PDB file of all heavy atoms in Angstrom:
ATOM      1  N   LYS A 196     179.696 291.540 165.114  1.00 86.00           N
ATOM      2  CA  LYS A 196     179.803 291.004 166.482  1.00 86.00           C
ATOM      3  C   LYS A 196     178.459 291.075 167.212  1.00 86.00           C
ATOM      4  O   LYS A 196     178.204 290.290 168.119  1.00 86.00           O
ATOM      5  CB  LYS A 196     180.880 291.767 167.259  1.00 86.00           C
ATOM      6  CG  LYS A 196     182.290 291.371 166.855  1.00 86.00           C
ATOM      7  CD  LYS A 196     183.324 291.835 167.853  1.00 86.00           C
ATOM      8  CE  LYS A 196     184.686 291.255 167.520  1.00 86.00           C
ATOM      9  NZ  LYS A 196     185.708 291.595 168.517  1.00 86.00           N
ATOM     10  N   GLU A 197     177.623 292.012 166.796  1.00 83.00           N
ATOM     11  CA  GLU A 197     176.310 292.138 167.433  1.00 83.00           C
ATOM     12  C   GLU A 197     175.506 290.854 167.219  1.00 83.00           C
ATOM     13  O   GLU A 197     174.787 290.389 168.099  1.00 83.00           O
ATOM     14  CB  GLU A 197     175.563 293.333 166.842  1.00 83.00           C
ATOM     15  CG  GLU A 197     174.252 293.639 167.538  1.00 83.00           C
ATOM     16  CD  GLU A 197     173.585 294.877 166.959  1.00 83.00           C
ATOM     17  OE1 GLU A 197     173.331 294.880 165.746  1.00 83.00           O
ATOM     18  OE2 GLU A 197     173.341 295.820 167.709  1.00 83.00           O
ATOM     19  N   LYS A 198     175.677 290.258 166.045  1.00 78.00           N
ATOM     20  CA  LYS A 198     174.956 289.026 165.736  1.00 78.00           C
ATOM     21  C   LYS A 198     175.453 287.870 166.607  1.00 78.00           C
ATOM     22  O   LYS A 198     174.720 286.937 166.908  1.00 78.00           O
ATOM     23  CB  LYS A 198     175.134 288.683 164.254  1.00 78.00           C
ATOM     24  CG  LYS A 198     174.497 289.696 163.315  1.00 78.00           C
ATOM     25  CD  LYS A 198     174.836 289.390 161.869  1.00 78.00           C
ATOM     26  CE  LYS A 198     174.270 290.468 160.941  1.00 78.00           C
ATOM     27  NZ  LYS A 198     174.679 290.251 159.540  1.00 78.00           N
ATOM     28  N   LEU A 199     176.723 287.939 166.983  1.00 79.00           N
ATOM     29  CA  LEU A 199     177.310 286.885 167.803  1.00 79.00           C
ATOM     30  C   LEU A 199     177.239 287.206 169.296  1.00 79.00           C
ATOM     31  O   LEU A 199     177.561 286.370 170.132  1.00 79.00           O
ATOM     32  CB  LEU A 199     178.781 286.680 167.403  1.00 79.00           C
ATOM     33  CG  LEU A 199     179.035 286.309 165.939  1.00 79.00           C
ATOM     34  CD1 LEU A 199     180.531 286.328 165.643  1.00 79.00           C
ATOM     35  CD2 LEU A 199     178.463 284.929 165.633  1.00 79.00           C
ATOM     36  N   GLY A 200     176.845 288.440 169.607  1.00 82.00           N
ATOM     37  CA  GLY A 200     176.750 288.855 170.997  1.00 82.00           C
ATOM     38  C   GLY A 200     178.088 289.071 171.672  1.00 82.00           C
ATOM     39  O   GLY A 200     178.191 288.988 172.896  1.00 82.00           O
ATOM     40  N   GLU A 201     179.119 289.383 170.875  1.00 90.00           N
ATOM     41  CA  GLU A 201     180.447 289.595 171.437  1.00 90.00           C
ATOM     42  C   GLU A 201     180.709 291.082 171.661  1.00 90.00           C
ATOM     43  O   GLU A 201     180.240 291.924 170.889  1.00 90.00           O
ATOM     44  CB  GLU A 201     181.522 289.052 170.490  1.00 90.00           C
ATOM     45  CG  GLU A 201     181.478 287.558 170.283  1.00 90.00           C
ATOM     46  CD  GLU A 201     182.536 287.084 169.311  1.00 90.00           C
ATOM     47  OE1 GLU A 201     183.429 287.888 168.974  1.00 90.00           O
ATOM     48  OE2 GLU A 201     182.462 285.926 168.874  1.00 90.00           O
ATOM     49  N   PRO A 202     181.481 291.428 172.704  1.00 94.00           N
ATOM     50  CA  PRO A 202     181.850 292.837 172.901  1.00 94.00           C
ATOM     51  C   PRO A 202     182.853 293.285 171.848  1.00 94.00           C
ATOM     52  O   PRO A 202     183.631 292.469 171.332  1.00 94.00           O
ATOM     53  CB  PRO A 202     182.477 292.852 174.297  1.00 94.00           C
ATOM     54  CG  PRO A 202     182.939 291.458 174.535  1.00 94.00           C
ATOM     55  CD  PRO A 202     181.996 290.572 173.787  1.00 94.00           C
ATOM     56  N   VAL A 203     182.837 294.574 171.526  1.00 95.00           N
ATOM     57  CA  VAL A 203     183.779 295.107 170.541  1.00 95.00           C
ATOM     58  C   VAL A 203     185.131 295.345 171.201  1.00 95.00           C
ATOM     59  O   VAL A 203     185.258 295.389 172.425  1.00 95.00           O
ATOM     60  CB  VAL A 203     183.257 296.424 169.927  1.00 95.00           C
ATOM     61  CG1 VAL A 203     182.017 296.177 169.093  1.00 95.00           C
ATOM     62  CG2 VAL A 203     182.997 297.469 170.999  1.00 95.00           C
ATOM     63  N   SER A 204     186.141 295.543 170.362  1.00 95.00           N
ATOM     64  CA  SER A 204     187.498 295.768 170.857  1.00 95.00           C
ATOM     65  C   SER A 204     187.664 297.192 171.377  1.00 95.00           C
ATOM     66  O   SER A 204     186.860 298.087 171.071  1.00 95.00           O
ATOM     67  CB  SER A 204     188.505 295.533 169.737  1.00 95.00           C
ATOM     68  OG  SER A 204     188.349 296.513 168.725  1.00 95.00           O
ATOM     69  N   THR A 205     188.726 297.389 172.140  1.00 96.00           N
ATOM     70  CA  THR A 205     189.071 298.732 172.627  1.00 96.00           C
ATOM     71  C   THR A 205     189.314 299.667 171.451  1.00 96.00           C
ATOM     72  O   THR A 205     188.943 300.846 171.489  1.00 96.00           O
ATOM     73  CB  THR A 205     190.339 298.669 173.506  1.00 96.00           C
ATOM     74  OG1 THR A 205     190.089 297.772 174.587  1.00 96.00           O
ATOM     75  CG2 THR A 205     190.697 300.037 174.052  1.00 96.00           C
ATOM     76  N   GLU A 206     189.926 299.138 170.383  1.00 97.00           N
ATOM     77  CA  GLU A 206     190.218 299.947 169.193  1.00 97.00           C
ATOM     78  C   GLU A 206     188.930 300.449 168.546  1.00 97.00           C
ATOM     79  O   GLU A 206     188.843 301.593 168.102  1.00 97.00           O
ATOM     80  CB  GLU A 206     191.021 299.126 168.181  1.00 97.00           C
ATOM     81  CG  GLU A 206     191.518 299.906 166.975  1.00 97.00           C
ATOM     82  CD  GLU A 206     192.484 301.022 167.322  1.00 97.00           C
ATOM     83  OE1 GLU A 206     193.201 300.909 168.328  1.00 97.00           O
ATOM     84  OE2 GLU A 206     192.506 302.023 166.584  1.00 97.00           O
ATOM     85  N   ALA A 207     187.916 299.592 168.511  1.00 97.00           N
ATOM     86  CA  ALA A 207     186.626 299.989 167.928  1.00 97.00           C
ATOM     87  C   ALA A 207     186.011 301.136 168.729  1.00 97.00           C
ATOM     88  O   ALA A 207     185.487 302.099 168.155  1.00 97.00           O
ATOM     89  CB  ALA A 207     185.676 298.803 167.879  1.00 97.00           C
ATOM     90  N   ILE A 208     186.074 301.030 170.055  1.00 97.00           N
ATOM     91  CA  ILE A 208     185.519 302.096 170.905  1.00 97.00           C
ATOM     92  C   ILE A 208     186.292 303.398 170.696  1.00 97.00           C
ATOM     93  O   ILE A 208     185.705 304.477 170.655  1.00 97.00           O
ATOM     94  CB  ILE A 208     185.542 301.664 172.384  1.00 97.00           C
ATOM     95  CG1 ILE A 208     184.623 300.448 172.587  1.00 97.00           C
ATOM     96  CG2 ILE A 208     185.092 302.812 173.291  1.00 97.00           C
ATOM     97  CD1 ILE A 208     184.729 299.810 173.949  1.00 97.00           C
ATOM     98  N   LYS A 209     187.609 303.291 170.531  1.00 98.00           N
ATOM     99  CA  LYS A 209     188.414 304.496 170.270  1.00 98.00           C
ATOM    100  C   LYS A 209     187.989 305.162 168.970  1.00 98.00           C
ATOM    101  O   LYS A 209     187.961 306.396 168.866  1.00 98.00           O
ATOM    102  CB  LYS A 209     189.898 304.133 170.215  1.00 98.00           C
ATOM    103  CG  LYS A 209     190.538 303.881 171.573  1.00 98.00           C
ATOM    104  CD  LYS A 209     192.018 303.545 171.419  1.00 98.00           C
ATOM    105  CE  LYS A 209     192.657 303.289 172.780  1.00 98.00           C
ATOM    106  NZ  LYS A 209     194.085 302.889 172.637  1.00 98.00           N
ATOM    107  N   ASN A 210     187.664 304.343 167.972  1.00 98.00           N
ATOM    108  CA  ASN A 210     187.192 304.913 166.699  1.00 98.00           C
ATOM    109  C   ASN A 210     185.862 305.637 166.878  1.00 98.00           C
ATOM    110  O   ASN A 210     185.648 306.716 166.316  1.00 98.00           O
ATOM    111  CB  ASN A 210     187.058 303.810 165.644  1.00 98.00           C
ATOM    112  CG  ASN A 210     188.396 303.390 165.074  1.00 98.00           C
ATOM    113  OD1 ASN A 210     189.273 304.221 164.852  1.00 98.00           O
ATOM    114  ND2 ASN A 210     188.565 302.097 164.834  1.00 98.00           N
ATOM    115  N   LEU A 211     184.968 305.042 167.666  1.00 98.00           N
ATOM    116  CA  LEU A 211     183.680 305.679 167.936  1.00 98.00           C
ATOM    117  C   LEU A 211     183.883 306.992 168.697  1.00 98.00           C
ATOM    118  O   LEU A 211     183.244 308.015 168.394  1.00 98.00           O
ATOM    119  CB  LEU A 211     182.780 304.731 168.722  1.00 98.00           C
ATOM    120  CG  LEU A 211     181.360 305.211 169.031  1.00 98.00           C
ATOM    121  CD1 LEU A 211     180.618 305.600 167.766  1.00 98.00           C
ATOM    122  CD2 LEU A 211     180.588 304.137 169.804  1.00 98.00           C
ATOM    123  N   GLU A 212     184.776 306.975 169.676  1.00 98.00           N
ATOM    124  CA  GLU A 212     185.071 308.184 170.455  1.00 98.00           C
ATOM    125  C   GLU A 212     185.689 309.267 169.563  1.00 98.00           C
ATOM    126  O   GLU A 212     185.396 310.453 169.715  1.00 98.00           O
ATOM    127  CB  GLU A 212     186.000 307.847 171.611  1.00 98.00           C
ATOM    128  CG  GLU A 212     185.304 307.048 172.717  1.00 98.00           C
ATOM    129  CD  GLU A 212     186.260 306.598 173.812  1.00 98.00           C
ATOM    130  OE1 GLU A 212     187.484 306.558 173.549  1.00 98.00           O
ATOM    131  OE2 GLU A 212     185.768 306.278 174.922  1.00 98.00           O
ATOM    132  N   LYS A 213     186.535 308.842 168.621  1.00 98.00           N
ATOM    133  CA  LYS A 213     187.157 309.793 167.695  1.00 98.00           C
ATOM    134  C   LYS A 213     186.094 310.467 166.832  1.00 98.00           C
ATOM    135  O   LYS A 213     186.123 311.684 166.623  1.00 98.00           O
ATOM    136  CB  LYS A 213     188.168 309.065 166.808  1.00 98.00           C
ATOM    137  CG  LYS A 213     188.836 309.923 165.740  1.00 98.00           C
ATOM    138  CD  LYS A 213     189.795 310.935 166.324  1.00 98.00           C
ATOM    139  CE  LYS A 213     190.579 311.650 165.228  1.00 98.00           C
ATOM    140  NZ  LYS A 213     191.446 312.717 165.775  1.00 98.00           N
ATOM    141  N   ALA A 214     185.145 309.689 166.346  1.00 98.00           N
ATOM    142  CA  ALA A 214     184.051 310.256 165.549  1.00 98.00           C
ATOM    143  C   ALA A 214     183.245 311.253 166.369  1.00 98.00           C
ATOM    144  O   ALA A 214     182.816 312.299 165.861  1.00 98.00           O
ATOM    145  CB  ALA A 214     183.150 309.141 165.023  1.00 98.00           C
ATOM    146  N   CYS A 215     183.051 310.949 167.655  1.00 98.00           N
ATOM    147  CA  CYS A 215     182.333 311.875 168.544  1.00 98.00           C
ATOM    148  C   CYS A 215     183.134 313.162 168.740  1.00 98.00           C
ATOM    149  O   CYS A 215     182.577 314.255 168.709  1.00 98.00           O
ATOM    150  CB  CYS A 215     182.061 311.217 169.892  1.00 98.00           C
ATOM    151  SG  CYS A 215     180.834 309.903 169.841  1.00 98.00           S
ATOM    152  N   GLU A 216     184.433 313.019 168.958  1.00 97.00           N
ATOM    153  CA  GLU A 216     185.292 314.200 169.127  1.00 97.00           C
ATOM    154  C   GLU A 216     185.237 315.102 167.899  1.00 97.00           C
ATOM    155  O   GLU A 216     185.350 316.324 168.011  1.00 97.00           O
ATOM    156  CB  GLU A 216     186.736 313.759 169.368  1.00 97.00           C
ATOM    157  CG  GLU A 216     186.992 313.161 170.739  1.00 97.00           C
ATOM    158  CD  GLU A 216     188.344 312.475 170.826  1.00 97.00           C
ATOM    159  OE1 GLU A 216     189.176 312.673 169.908  1.00 97.00           O
ATOM    160  OE2 GLU A 216     188.575 311.731 171.801  1.00 97.00           O
ATOM    161  N   MET A 217     185.053 314.489 166.733  1.00 97.00           N
ATOM    162  CA  MET A 217     184.993 315.249 165.482  1.00 97.00           C
ATOM    163  C   MET A 217     183.587 315.773 165.199  1.00 97.00           C
ATOM    164  O   MET A 217     183.344 316.417 164.179  1.00 97.00           O
ATOM    165  CB  MET A 217     185.503 314.384 164.327  1.00 97.00           C
ATOM    166  CG  MET A 217     186.965 313.980 164.480  1.00 97.00           C
ATOM    167  SD  MET A 217     187.554 312.848 163.202  1.00 97.00           S
ATOM    168  CE  MET A 217     187.988 314.009 161.891  1.00 97.00           C
ATOM    169  N   GLY A 218     182.656 315.480 166.124  1.00 97.00           N
ATOM    170  CA  GLY A 218     181.309 316.061 166.039  1.00 97.00           C
ATOM    171  C   GLY A 218     180.348 315.398 165.087  1.00 97.00           C
ATOM    172  O   GLY A 218     179.383 316.022 164.642  1.00 97.00           O
ATOM    173  N   VAL A 219     180.561 314.120 164.765  1.00 97.00           N
ATOM    174  CA  VAL A 219     179.643 313.412 163.863  1.00 97.00           C
ATOM    175  C   VAL A 219     178.340 313.126 164.614  1.00 97.00           C
ATOM    176  O   VAL A 219     178.342 312.386 165.597  1.00 97.00           O
ATOM    177  CB  VAL A 219     180.262 312.091 163.362  1.00 97.00           C
ATOM    178  CG1 VAL A 219     179.283 311.343 162.465  1.00 97.00           C
ATOM    179  CG2 VAL A 219     181.582 312.354 162.634  1.00 97.00           C
ATOM    180  N   PRO A 220     177.212 313.702 164.186  1.00 97.00           N
ATOM    181  CA  PRO A 220     175.945 313.546 164.937  1.00 97.00           C
ATOM    182  C   PRO A 220     175.537 312.092 165.151  1.00 97.00           C
ATOM    183  O   PRO A 220     175.108 311.716 166.245  1.00 97.00           O
ATOM    184  CB  PRO A 220     174.928 314.282 164.062  1.00 97.00           C
ATOM    185  CG  PRO A 220     175.738 315.278 163.304  1.00 97.00           C
ATOM    186  CD  PRO A 220     177.048 314.611 163.035  1.00 97.00           C
ATOM    187  N   ASP A 221     175.655 311.250 164.106  1.00 97.00           N
ATOM    188  CA  ASP A 221     175.292 309.835 164.242  1.00 97.00           C
ATOM    189  C   ASP A 221     176.138 309.154 165.307  1.00 97.00           C
ATOM    190  O   ASP A 221     175.650 308.289 166.048  1.00 97.00           O
ATOM    191  CB  ASP A 221     175.494 309.105 162.910  1.00 97.00           C
ATOM    192  CG  ASP A 221     174.452 309.494 161.877  1.00 97.00           C
ATOM    193  OD1 ASP A 221     173.368 309.926 162.279  1.00 97.00           O
ATOM    194  OD2 ASP A 221     174.726 309.367 160.677  1.00 97.00           O
ATOM    195  N   ALA A 222     177.415 309.524 165.371  1.00 98.00           N
ATOM    196  CA  ALA A 222     178.315 308.916 166.355  1.00 98.00           C
ATOM    197  C   ALA A 222     177.943 309.347 167.765  1.00 98.00           C
ATOM    198  O   ALA A 222     177.921 308.523 168.691  1.00 98.00           O
ATOM    199  CB  ALA A 222     179.765 309.295 166.046  1.00 98.00           C
ATOM    200  N   LEU A 223     177.650 310.625 167.941  1.00 98.00           N
ATOM    201  CA  LEU A 223     177.253 311.134 169.251  1.00 98.00           C
ATOM    202  C   LEU A 223     176.008 310.403 169.758  1.00 98.00           C
ATOM    203  O   LEU A 223     175.950 309.977 170.915  1.00 98.00           O
ATOM    204  CB  LEU A 223     176.973 312.635 169.164  1.00 98.00           C
ATOM    205  CG  LEU A 223     178.192 313.531 168.904  1.00 98.00           C
ATOM    206  CD1 LEU A 223     177.738 314.920 168.456  1.00 98.00           C
ATOM    207  CD2 LEU A 223     179.068 313.640 170.147  1.00 98.00           C
ATOM    208  N   PHE A 224     175.040 310.243 168.873  1.00 98.00           N
ATOM    209  CA  PHE A 224     173.798 309.575 169.256  1.00 98.00           C
ATOM    210  C   PHE A 224     174.045 308.096 169.559  1.00 98.00           C
ATOM    211  O   PHE A 224     173.604 307.574 170.587  1.00 98.00           O
ATOM    212  CB  PHE A 224     172.749 309.716 168.158  1.00 98.00           C
ATOM    213  CG  PHE A 224     171.495 308.924 168.431  1.00 98.00           C
ATOM    214  CD1 PHE A 224     170.560 309.381 169.336  1.00 98.00           C
ATOM    215  CD2 PHE A 224     171.277 307.702 167.797  1.00 98.00           C
ATOM    216  CE1 PHE A 224     169.420 308.652 169.617  1.00 98.00           C
ATOM    217  CE2 PHE A 224     170.137 306.964 168.072  1.00 98.00           C
ATOM    218  CZ  PHE A 224     169.205 307.439 168.978  1.00 98.00           C
ATOM    219  N   TYR A 225     174.776 307.420 168.667  1.00 97.00           N
ATOM    220  CA  TYR A 225     174.926 305.976 168.841  1.00 97.00           C
ATOM    221  C   TYR A 225     175.789 305.632 170.050  1.00 97.00           C
ATOM    222  O   TYR A 225     175.498 304.670 170.772  1.00 97.00           O
ATOM    223  CB  TYR A 225     175.513 305.337 167.576  1.00 97.00           C
ATOM    224  CG  TYR A 225     175.329 303.835 167.582  1.00 97.00           C
ATOM    225  CD1 TYR A 225     174.067 303.285 167.364  1.00 97.00           C
ATOM    226  CD2 TYR A 225     176.386 302.974 167.839  1.00 97.00           C
ATOM    227  CE1 TYR A 225     173.866 301.911 167.398  1.00 97.00           C
ATOM    228  CE2 TYR A 225     176.193 301.595 167.881  1.00 97.00           C
ATOM    229  CZ  TYR A 225     174.936 301.076 167.655  1.00 97.00           C
ATOM    230  OH  TYR A 225     174.738 299.720 167.710  1.00 97.00           O
TER     231      TYR A 225
END
Side-chain angles (χ1 to χ4, degrees):
K196 284 195 172 184
E197 186 177 57
K198 295 174 184 175
L199 302 172
E201 296 178 11
V203 293
S204 66
T205 302
E206 187 63 29
I208 296 171
K209 284 181 180 177
N210 283 321
L211 183 56
E212 288 175 340
K213 177 70 173 176
C215 290
E216 287 168 13
M217 297 175 84
V219 178
D221 288 336
L223 292 164
F224 174 77
Y225 195 73

